[in-house]
Amino acid sequence: MRPFKYALLSALLAGVTMPAALAEEKEAWRLFVSDHGAATVTAIDAEKGDVLERLSLKGPAGLYRTDSGETVFAVQGSAGTVQAVRSGIAFDDHGDHGDIDISDVKLTDFALAGGKPGHFVELRGNIAMWFDGEDKAQLFTERDAARGEAKPRPVSVGAAHHGVAVPYGDYAVVSVPNPEDASKRPIGARVVKGEDEQVGAVADCPGLHGSAASGSIYALACNTGLLLIEAKDGVPEIRHLPYSPSLPEGSASTLIGGKGIRYFVGNYGADRIVLIDPAEADGFRLVQLPTRRVHFAADPVRPQFVYVITEDGKLHQVNFLTGMIAHSLDLTQPYSMDGHWSDPRPRIAIAGDEIVVTDPLNGKLHLVDAASFTKTREIAVEGVPFNIVAVGGGGHVHATE
Ligand code: ZN
Ligand code: ZN
Protein backbone atom coordinates (compact mmCIF):
# COMPACT_ATOMS: atom_id res chain seq x y z
CA MET A 1 0.00 0.00 0.00
CA ARG A 2 2.95 2.30 0.40
CA PRO A 3 3.17 3.39 -3.27
CA PHE A 4 -0.53 4.23 -3.20
CA LYS A 5 -0.24 6.36 -0.04
CA TYR A 6 2.84 8.00 -1.43
CA ALA A 7 1.06 8.82 -4.69
CA LEU A 8 -1.89 10.23 -2.74
CA LEU A 9 0.40 12.30 -0.54
CA SER A 10 2.29 13.60 -3.56
CA ALA A 11 -0.98 14.53 -5.21
CA LEU A 12 -2.19 16.39 -2.10
CA LEU A 13 1.11 18.20 -1.72
CA ALA A 14 1.01 19.15 -5.38
CA GLY A 15 -2.52 20.42 -4.89
CA VAL A 16 -3.87 18.43 -7.78
CA THR A 17 -6.19 15.46 -8.10
CA MET A 18 -4.43 12.66 -9.89
CA PRO A 19 -6.21 9.61 -11.26
CA ALA A 20 -3.79 7.54 -9.19
CA ALA A 21 -5.55 8.83 -6.08
CA LEU A 22 -8.64 6.96 -7.21
CA ALA A 23 -6.76 3.79 -7.89
CA GLU A 24 -7.53 0.56 -6.13
CA GLU A 25 -4.77 -1.93 -5.36
CA LYS A 26 -5.40 -5.36 -6.79
CA GLU A 27 -3.45 -8.61 -6.86
CA ALA A 28 -4.16 -11.53 -9.15
CA TRP A 29 -2.38 -14.80 -9.84
CA ARG A 30 -3.23 -17.43 -12.42
CA LEU A 31 -1.91 -20.96 -12.63
CA PHE A 32 -1.53 -22.72 -15.97
CA VAL A 33 -1.32 -26.48 -15.62
CA SER A 34 -0.81 -28.93 -18.47
CA ASP A 35 -1.87 -32.55 -18.37
CA HIS A 36 0.70 -35.34 -18.56
CA GLY A 37 -1.15 -37.32 -21.22
CA ALA A 38 -4.00 -35.18 -22.50
CA ALA A 39 -3.76 -32.20 -24.85
CA THR A 40 -5.10 -29.70 -22.33
CA VAL A 41 -4.03 -26.68 -20.30
CA THR A 42 -6.15 -25.69 -17.32
CA ALA A 43 -6.07 -22.03 -16.27
CA ILE A 44 -6.88 -21.60 -12.58
CA ASP A 45 -7.56 -18.53 -10.44
CA ALA A 46 -4.93 -19.14 -7.76
CA GLU A 47 -6.75 -17.27 -5.00
CA LYS A 48 -10.19 -18.84 -5.48
CA GLY A 49 -8.99 -22.18 -6.84
CA ASP A 50 -11.58 -21.95 -9.65
CA VAL A 51 -10.98 -23.18 -13.17
CA LEU A 52 -11.07 -20.16 -15.47
CA GLU A 53 -10.58 -22.01 -18.72
CA ARG A 54 -9.71 -25.48 -19.96
CA LEU A 55 -7.93 -25.09 -23.27
CA SER A 56 -7.66 -27.84 -25.87
CA LEU A 57 -4.28 -28.10 -27.57
CA LYS A 58 -2.92 -30.46 -30.22
CA GLY A 59 -0.77 -32.52 -27.84
CA PRO A 60 0.48 -32.72 -24.23
CA ALA A 61 2.50 -29.59 -23.49
CA GLY A 62 5.52 -28.26 -21.70
CA LEU A 63 4.73 -24.76 -20.45
CA TYR A 64 6.87 -21.61 -20.50
CA ARG A 65 5.82 -18.18 -19.27
CA THR A 66 7.48 -15.07 -20.59
CA ASP A 67 9.16 -12.54 -18.34
CA SER A 68 6.19 -10.17 -18.76
CA GLY A 69 3.78 -12.97 -17.87
CA GLU A 70 1.42 -11.86 -20.62
CA THR A 71 1.95 -15.01 -22.66
CA VAL A 72 2.27 -18.69 -21.82
CA PHE A 73 3.73 -20.92 -24.51
CA ALA A 74 2.66 -24.53 -24.86
CA VAL A 75 5.44 -26.56 -26.45
CA GLN A 76 3.92 -29.78 -27.74
CA GLY A 77 6.76 -32.16 -28.59
CA SER A 78 4.73 -35.12 -29.78
CA ALA A 79 2.33 -32.94 -31.81
CA GLY A 80 5.17 -30.96 -33.43
CA THR A 81 3.72 -27.57 -32.62
CA VAL A 82 4.00 -24.58 -30.32
CA GLN A 83 0.94 -22.55 -29.33
CA ALA A 84 0.59 -19.30 -27.40
CA VAL A 85 -1.94 -18.50 -24.67
CA ARG A 86 -2.69 -14.96 -23.52
CA SER A 87 -2.63 -15.14 -19.73
CA GLY A 88 -5.07 -12.25 -19.35
CA ILE A 89 -2.79 -10.53 -16.83
CA ALA A 90 -0.70 -7.60 -18.01
CA PHE A 91 1.23 -4.86 -16.25
CA ASP A 92 1.75 -1.33 -17.39
CA ASP A 93 4.56 0.72 -15.88
CA HIS A 94 3.30 4.14 -14.84
CA GLY A 95 6.58 5.30 -13.35
CA ASP A 96 5.72 5.73 -9.67
CA HIS A 97 3.32 2.76 -9.75
CA GLY A 98 2.26 -0.09 -12.01
CA ASP A 99 -1.18 -0.87 -13.35
CA ILE A 100 -2.59 -4.38 -13.53
CA ASP A 101 -4.88 -5.18 -16.42
CA ILE A 102 -6.97 -8.33 -16.00
CA SER A 103 -8.83 -9.93 -18.89
CA ASP A 104 -9.85 -13.38 -20.12
CA VAL A 105 -7.45 -16.24 -20.75
CA LYS A 106 -7.30 -16.82 -24.49
CA LEU A 107 -5.67 -19.35 -26.80
CA THR A 108 -4.24 -17.25 -29.63
CA ASP A 109 -4.11 -18.22 -33.32
CA PHE A 110 -0.32 -18.42 -33.06
CA ALA A 111 0.99 -21.85 -34.07
CA LEU A 112 4.56 -22.71 -34.99
CA ALA A 113 4.97 -26.15 -36.52
CA GLY A 114 8.26 -28.04 -36.75
CA GLY A 115 9.94 -31.35 -36.06
CA LYS A 116 10.32 -32.18 -32.38
CA PRO A 117 9.99 -28.80 -30.67
CA GLY A 118 12.46 -28.71 -27.78
CA HIS A 119 13.98 -25.90 -25.72
CA PHE A 120 12.20 -22.55 -25.46
CA VAL A 121 14.16 -19.41 -24.55
CA GLU A 122 12.76 -15.92 -24.03
CA LEU A 123 14.83 -12.82 -23.34
CA ARG A 124 13.13 -9.43 -23.06
CA GLY A 125 10.26 -10.32 -25.35
CA ASN A 126 12.44 -12.05 -27.95
CA ILE A 127 11.89 -15.78 -28.28
CA ALA A 128 14.02 -18.55 -29.77
CA MET A 129 12.22 -21.82 -30.35
CA TRP A 130 14.40 -24.86 -30.87
CA PHE A 131 13.32 -27.87 -32.92
CA ASP A 132 15.36 -31.05 -32.40
CA GLY A 133 14.26 -32.33 -35.80
CA GLU A 134 15.20 -29.21 -37.83
CA ASP A 135 18.47 -27.62 -38.91
CA LYS A 136 17.02 -24.18 -38.12
CA ALA A 137 15.79 -22.54 -34.95
CA GLN A 138 12.94 -20.00 -35.21
CA LEU A 139 13.07 -16.53 -33.68
CA PHE A 140 10.02 -14.36 -33.09
CA THR A 141 8.66 -11.82 -30.63
CA GLU A 142 6.21 -12.27 -27.80
CA ARG A 143 4.30 -9.27 -29.13
CA ASP A 144 3.64 -10.94 -32.51
CA ALA A 145 2.76 -14.25 -30.90
CA ALA A 146 0.30 -12.61 -28.49
CA ARG A 147 -1.41 -11.06 -31.49
CA GLY A 148 -1.71 -14.52 -32.99
CA GLU A 149 0.85 -13.86 -35.70
CA ALA A 150 3.75 -16.20 -36.39
CA LYS A 151 6.45 -14.29 -38.22
CA PRO A 152 9.45 -16.43 -37.37
CA ARG A 153 12.97 -15.66 -38.52
CA PRO A 154 15.06 -18.79 -39.12
CA VAL A 155 18.59 -19.19 -37.78
CA SER A 156 20.78 -21.99 -39.08
CA VAL A 157 22.03 -24.44 -36.45
CA GLY A 158 24.17 -26.59 -38.79
CA ALA A 159 22.40 -29.90 -38.39
CA ALA A 160 19.36 -31.15 -36.53
CA HIS A 161 20.36 -31.87 -32.91
CA HIS A 162 19.15 -31.50 -29.32
CA GLY A 163 20.44 -28.02 -28.59
CA VAL A 164 19.37 -24.49 -27.79
CA ALA A 165 19.20 -21.01 -29.30
CA VAL A 166 19.27 -17.73 -27.36
CA PRO A 167 17.76 -14.65 -29.05
CA TYR A 168 19.52 -11.27 -29.19
CA GLY A 169 17.68 -9.14 -31.77
CA ASP A 170 19.50 -9.54 -35.10
CA TYR A 171 21.85 -11.99 -33.41
CA ALA A 172 21.46 -15.35 -31.74
CA VAL A 173 23.68 -17.74 -29.83
CA VAL A 174 23.18 -21.31 -31.02
CA SER A 175 24.61 -24.64 -29.97
CA VAL A 176 27.13 -26.32 -32.31
CA PRO A 177 26.37 -29.97 -33.09
CA ASN A 178 28.89 -32.75 -32.68
CA PRO A 179 30.47 -32.91 -36.18
CA GLU A 180 30.90 -36.70 -36.03
CA ASP A 181 27.43 -37.52 -34.74
CA ALA A 182 24.78 -34.82 -34.38
CA SER A 183 22.66 -37.14 -32.21
CA LYS A 184 25.29 -36.78 -29.46
CA ARG A 185 25.46 -33.76 -27.14
CA PRO A 186 26.57 -30.46 -28.77
CA ILE A 187 30.23 -29.46 -28.51
CA GLY A 188 29.98 -25.69 -28.23
CA ALA A 189 28.10 -22.50 -28.97
CA ARG A 190 28.54 -19.72 -31.51
CA VAL A 191 27.19 -16.26 -32.20
CA VAL A 192 25.23 -15.95 -35.45
CA LYS A 193 24.17 -12.72 -37.13
CA GLY A 194 21.12 -12.92 -39.36
CA GLU A 195 20.40 -16.39 -40.67
CA ASP A 196 23.90 -17.86 -40.86
CA GLU A 197 26.76 -15.38 -40.47
CA GLN A 198 29.05 -16.59 -37.69
CA VAL A 199 30.56 -13.87 -35.52
CA GLY A 200 33.82 -14.84 -33.80
CA ALA A 201 34.98 -18.33 -32.94
CA VAL A 202 33.04 -21.29 -31.58
CA ALA A 203 33.09 -21.30 -27.76
CA ASP A 204 33.85 -24.82 -26.56
CA CYS A 205 31.09 -26.36 -24.48
CA PRO A 206 31.33 -30.14 -24.59
CA GLY A 207 28.11 -31.85 -23.57
CA LEU A 208 26.08 -28.64 -23.77
CA HIS A 209 22.65 -29.07 -22.18
CA GLY A 210 20.68 -26.85 -19.84
CA SER A 211 20.41 -23.08 -19.88
CA ALA A 212 18.92 -20.23 -17.88
CA ALA A 213 18.83 -16.45 -17.55
CA SER A 214 19.73 -14.42 -14.48
CA GLY A 215 19.77 -10.65 -14.75
CA SER A 216 21.77 -9.65 -17.81
CA ILE A 217 23.56 -13.01 -18.04
CA TYR A 218 22.42 -16.06 -19.95
CA ALA A 219 24.20 -19.29 -19.02
CA LEU A 220 24.67 -22.58 -20.85
CA ALA A 221 25.85 -25.64 -18.95
CA CYS A 222 28.79 -27.70 -20.28
CA ASN A 223 30.79 -30.66 -19.02
CA THR A 224 33.61 -28.21 -18.26
CA GLY A 225 31.71 -25.35 -16.64
CA LEU A 226 29.30 -22.69 -17.85
CA LEU A 227 29.27 -20.46 -20.87
CA LEU A 228 28.13 -17.01 -19.77
CA ILE A 229 26.60 -14.80 -22.45
CA GLU A 230 26.21 -11.05 -22.11
CA ALA A 231 25.31 -8.56 -24.82
CA LYS A 232 27.65 -5.60 -25.38
CA ASP A 233 26.13 -2.91 -27.63
CA GLY A 234 23.55 -5.47 -28.72
CA VAL A 235 26.12 -8.10 -29.73
CA PRO A 236 26.28 -11.22 -27.55
CA GLU A 237 29.69 -12.13 -26.14
CA ILE A 238 30.50 -15.54 -24.67
CA ARG A 239 32.97 -16.38 -21.91
CA HIS A 240 33.70 -19.64 -20.14
CA LEU A 241 33.41 -20.07 -16.38
CA PRO A 242 35.16 -23.35 -15.46
CA TYR A 243 33.90 -25.51 -12.61
CA SER A 244 35.93 -25.04 -9.47
CA PRO A 245 38.68 -27.67 -8.99
CA SER A 246 37.27 -28.21 -5.48
CA LEU A 247 34.09 -29.75 -6.95
CA PRO A 248 33.90 -33.52 -7.25
CA GLU A 249 33.69 -35.04 -10.71
CA GLY A 250 30.44 -34.13 -12.43
CA SER A 251 28.64 -31.43 -14.35
CA ALA A 252 25.32 -29.64 -14.61
CA SER A 253 22.83 -30.39 -17.37
CA THR A 254 19.82 -28.44 -16.08
CA LEU A 255 20.03 -24.82 -14.94
CA ILE A 256 17.71 -22.30 -13.33
CA GLY A 257 18.53 -18.64 -12.76
CA GLY A 258 17.94 -16.32 -9.83
CA LYS A 259 15.77 -13.26 -10.20
CA GLY A 260 16.74 -10.23 -8.16
CA ILE A 261 20.09 -11.83 -7.27
CA ARG A 262 22.38 -12.95 -10.07
CA TYR A 263 22.95 -16.67 -9.56
CA PHE A 264 22.44 -20.01 -11.20
CA VAL A 265 21.55 -23.38 -9.76
CA GLY A 266 22.26 -26.61 -11.58
CA ASN A 267 21.88 -30.31 -10.99
CA TYR A 268 25.20 -31.96 -10.12
CA GLY A 269 24.57 -35.64 -9.86
CA ALA A 270 21.11 -37.02 -9.14
CA ASP A 271 21.01 -36.10 -5.44
CA ARG A 272 22.94 -32.82 -5.37
CA ILE A 273 22.56 -29.32 -6.69
CA VAL A 274 25.28 -26.76 -7.30
CA LEU A 275 24.83 -23.08 -6.40
CA ILE A 276 26.75 -20.83 -8.77
CA ASP A 277 27.70 -17.19 -8.25
CA PRO A 278 28.87 -16.08 -11.72
CA ALA A 279 30.69 -13.05 -10.27
CA GLU A 280 33.17 -15.25 -8.40
CA ALA A 281 36.00 -17.28 -9.88
CA ASP A 282 35.34 -20.03 -7.33
CA GLY A 283 31.64 -19.39 -6.88
CA PHE A 284 30.45 -23.01 -6.80
CA ARG A 285 28.85 -24.62 -3.74
CA LEU A 286 27.32 -28.08 -3.59
CA VAL A 287 24.15 -28.84 -1.65
CA GLN A 288 23.57 -32.49 -0.77
CA LEU A 289 19.90 -33.48 -0.97
CA PRO A 290 18.46 -36.31 1.16
CA THR A 291 17.29 -38.21 -1.96
CA ARG A 292 17.27 -37.66 -5.71
CA ARG A 293 15.99 -34.37 -7.11
CA VAL A 294 12.70 -34.27 -9.03
CA HIS A 295 12.38 -30.56 -9.85
CA PHE A 296 13.66 -27.18 -8.68
CA ALA A 297 12.64 -23.53 -9.06
CA ALA A 298 14.01 -20.14 -8.00
CA ASP A 299 11.74 -17.80 -6.01
CA PRO A 300 11.43 -14.48 -7.89
CA VAL A 301 9.92 -12.68 -4.87
CA ARG A 302 12.27 -13.90 -2.11
CA PRO A 303 15.32 -14.16 -4.36
CA GLN A 304 17.60 -15.95 -1.90
CA PHE A 305 15.36 -19.04 -1.92
CA VAL A 306 15.39 -22.00 -4.27
CA TYR A 307 12.84 -24.79 -3.85
CA VAL A 308 13.67 -28.39 -4.59
CA ILE A 309 11.28 -31.31 -4.54
CA THR A 310 12.93 -34.69 -4.01
CA GLU A 311 11.69 -38.18 -4.83
CA ASP A 312 10.63 -38.82 -1.22
CA GLY A 313 7.90 -36.17 -1.71
CA LYS A 314 9.64 -33.52 0.40
CA LEU A 315 9.85 -29.87 -0.61
CA HIS A 316 13.07 -28.16 0.48
CA GLN A 317 13.81 -24.49 0.86
CA VAL A 318 17.47 -23.88 -0.01
CA ASN A 319 18.97 -20.52 0.93
CA PHE A 320 21.36 -19.44 -1.82
CA LEU A 321 23.14 -17.01 0.51
CA THR A 322 24.00 -19.63 3.15
CA GLY A 323 24.18 -22.61 0.80
CA MET A 324 22.04 -24.62 3.23
CA ILE A 325 18.67 -26.37 3.23
CA ALA A 326 16.74 -24.09 5.59
CA HIS A 327 13.44 -25.98 5.77
CA SER A 328 11.95 -29.24 4.54
CA LEU A 329 8.30 -30.16 4.30
CA ASP A 330 6.47 -33.46 3.60
CA LEU A 331 4.26 -32.63 0.65
CA THR A 332 3.49 -35.35 -1.89
CA GLN A 333 3.61 -39.12 -2.04
CA PRO A 334 7.04 -40.45 -3.06
CA TYR A 335 7.81 -40.16 -6.79
CA SER A 336 10.78 -42.39 -7.57
CA MET A 337 13.30 -41.17 -10.12
CA ASP A 338 13.63 -44.77 -11.33
CA GLY A 339 11.61 -45.35 -14.45
CA HIS A 340 11.37 -43.11 -17.50
CA TRP A 341 12.58 -39.50 -17.22
CA SER A 342 9.27 -38.29 -18.62
CA ASP A 343 7.03 -40.15 -16.15
CA PRO A 344 4.55 -37.89 -14.33
CA ARG A 345 6.30 -36.30 -11.33
CA PRO A 346 5.78 -33.06 -9.38
CA ARG A 347 6.69 -29.64 -10.78
CA ILE A 348 7.05 -26.34 -8.88
CA ALA A 349 5.85 -22.80 -9.62
CA ILE A 350 5.82 -19.69 -7.44
CA ALA A 351 2.68 -17.56 -7.35
CA GLY A 352 3.43 -14.49 -5.25
CA ASP A 353 3.46 -15.60 -1.62
CA GLU A 354 2.65 -19.21 -2.41
CA ILE A 355 4.68 -22.11 -3.73
CA VAL A 356 2.56 -24.40 -5.89
CA VAL A 357 3.52 -28.03 -6.50
CA THR A 358 1.74 -30.41 -8.86
CA ASP A 359 0.93 -33.90 -7.60
CA PRO A 360 0.13 -35.65 -10.88
CA LEU A 361 -0.90 -39.07 -9.58
CA ASN A 362 -3.32 -37.54 -7.06
CA GLY A 363 -4.89 -34.96 -9.39
CA LYS A 364 -4.12 -31.95 -7.27
CA LEU A 365 -1.92 -28.96 -6.52
CA HIS A 366 -0.37 -28.38 -3.09
CA LEU A 367 -0.05 -24.74 -2.02
CA VAL A 368 2.63 -23.79 0.48
CA ASP A 369 2.85 -20.42 2.21
CA ALA A 370 6.30 -19.11 1.30
CA ALA A 371 6.73 -17.10 4.53
CA SER A 372 5.92 -19.86 7.05
CA PHE A 373 6.90 -22.71 4.70
CA THR A 374 3.79 -24.66 5.68
CA LYS A 375 1.16 -26.23 3.46
CA THR A 376 -2.02 -24.16 3.52
CA ARG A 377 -4.38 -25.68 0.97
CA GLU A 378 -4.93 -27.85 -2.10
CA ILE A 379 -6.58 -27.32 -5.46
CA ALA A 380 -8.02 -30.34 -7.28
CA VAL A 381 -7.28 -30.52 -11.01
CA GLU A 382 -8.95 -32.97 -13.37
CA GLY A 383 -6.66 -35.50 -15.07
CA VAL A 384 -2.92 -35.73 -14.42
CA PRO A 385 -1.68 -32.20 -13.60
CA PHE A 386 1.98 -32.06 -14.57
CA ASN A 387 3.74 -28.94 -15.87
CA ILE A 388 2.84 -25.64 -14.23
CA VAL A 389 3.60 -21.95 -14.57
CA ALA A 390 2.21 -19.05 -12.53
CA VAL A 391 1.67 -15.49 -13.71
CA GLY A 392 0.43 -12.48 -11.82
CA GLY A 393 1.25 -9.80 -9.31
CA GLY A 394 -0.18 -6.64 -7.85
CA GLY A 395 -0.93 -3.25 -9.33
CA HIS A 396 -3.28 -0.35 -9.56
CA VAL A 397 -6.67 -0.54 -11.15
CA HIS A 398 -7.74 3.05 -11.87
CA ALA A 399 -11.34 3.99 -11.25
CA THR A 400 -11.07 6.43 -14.14
CA GLU A 401 -9.00 5.68 -17.18
ZN1 ZN B 1 -1.64 4.00 -13.47
ZN1 ZN C 1 16.90 -30.88 -23.35
Side-chain angles (χ1 to χ4, degrees):
M1 290 305 282
R2 195 178 296 147
F4 169 73
K5 280 183 183 157
Y6 183 72
L8 181 61
L9 186 64
S10 313
L12 289 172
L13 288 173
V16 293
T17 311
M18 282 167 58
L22 299 169
E24 171 197 351
E25 192 77 18
K26 196 167 168 93
E27 185 165 355
W29 284 92
R30 286 178 176 172
L31 308 172
F32 292 81
V33 183
S34 66
D35 194 89
H36 186 264
T40 59
V41 169
T42 307
I44 297 164
D45 179 312
E47 192 194 358
K48 298 194 182 85
D50 298 341
V51 171
L52 296 167
E53 208 69 62
R54 208 168 156 85
L55 305 169
S56 290
L57 307 175
K58 297 191 174 70
L63 299 177
Y64 301 87
R65 55 153 291 175
T66 56
D67 200 37
S68 75
E70 292 181 26
T71 323
V72 173
F73 285 86
V75 176
Q76 300 155 59
S78 58
T81 192
V82 180
Q83 290 178 280
V85 178
R86 282 226 304 267
S87 71
I89 296 185
F91 296 93
D92 201 12
D93 184 5
H94 280 194
D96 67 339
H97 69 275
D99 282 11
I100 185 168
D101 181 24
I102 302 170
S103 57
D104 291 342
V105 172
K106 189 174 174 292
L107 183 64
T108 71
D109 294 331
F110 173 91
L112 188 62
K116 300 183 194 161
H119 290 288
F120 172 99
V121 175
E122 185 246 353
L123 281 184
R124 294 165 200 90
N126 294 310
I127 294 160
M129 187 63 227
W130 188 271
F131 293 89
D132 289 3
E134 310 277 346
D135 61 5
K136 288 179 170 59
Q138 301 291 342
L139 272 55
F140 54 94
T141 66
E142 177 183 12
R143 180 185 297 212
D144 285 341
R147 287 195 190 120
E149 297 168 26
K151 292 190 286 190
R153 172 172 88 73
V155 176
S156 173
V157 302
H161 65 285
H162 184 58
V164 69
V166 190
Y168 287 93
D170 296 336
Y171 296 84
V173 173
V174 299
S175 53
V176 175
N178 185 312
E180 269 121 56
D181 182 355
S183 71
K184 292 195 170 136
R185 288 273 189 91
I187 58 154
R190 64 192 185 114
V191 177
V192 175
K193 184 181 184 192
E195 189 168 341
D196 200 14
E197 184 192 330
Q198 182 169 323
V199 179
V202 169
D204 288 340
C205 183
L208 185 155
H209 189 269
S211 72
S214 184
S216 58
I217 303 180
Y218 198 86
L220 307 173
C222 324
N223 291 345
T224 52
L226 302 187
L227 291 185
L228 303 179
I229 310 165
E230 270 189 288
K232 297 235 165 67
D233 300 324
V235 185
E237 291 182 6
I238 307 175
R239 67 192 159 97
H240 185 254
L241 178 72
Y243 291 125
S244 155
S246 62
L247 286 177
E249 180 126 2
S251 63
S253 58
T254 300
L255 290 180
I256 58 171
K259 206 169 175 187
I261 306 177
R262 274 207 322 199
Y263 67 78
F264 297 95
V265 181
N267 60 326
Y268 203 90
D271 63 352
R272 288 180 305 209
I273 56 172
V274 61
L275 310 179
I276 304 161
D277 180 348
E280 305 245 334
D282 192 10
F284 296 87
R285 279 175 302 168
L286 279 184
V287 178
Q288 178 68 52
L289 304 170
T291 58
R292 290 176 292 184
R293 171 193 55 92
V294 174
H295 192 238
F296 56 169
D299 190 329
V301 185
R302 292 149 293 268
Q304 71 273 34
F305 294 132
V306 173
Y307 308 112
V308 186
I309 184 139
T310 46
E311 61 183 343
D312 53 2
K314 280 184 162 47
L315 183 71
H316 309 277
Q317 182 201 61
V318 177
N319 187 330
F320 177 82
L321 301 175
T322 63
M324 308 287 280
I325 296 175
H327 297 282
S328 297
L329 173 68
D330 281 312
L331 202 60
T332 70
Q333 66 165 73
Y335 279 90
S336 171
M337 288 305 289
D338 287 337
H340 198 271
W341 65 269
S342 65
D343 285 345
R345 296 188 187 90
R347 295 287 182 267
I348 304 167
I350 293 103
D353 292 331
E354 290 182 301
I355 307 151
V356 190
V357 179
T358 60
D359 190 348
L361 298 183
N362 295 298
K364 62 187 173 189
L365 313 176
H366 300 268
L367 286 91
V368 173
D369 176 60
S372 61
F373 208 69
T374 52
K375 178 176 162 177
T376 49
R377 58 198 178 107
E378 294 180 351
I379 297 175
V381 180
E382 207 178 295
V384 186
F386 183 42
N387 291 305
I388 181 167
V389 294
V391 303
H396 278 180
V397 178
H398 292 282
T400 54
E401 282 293 331

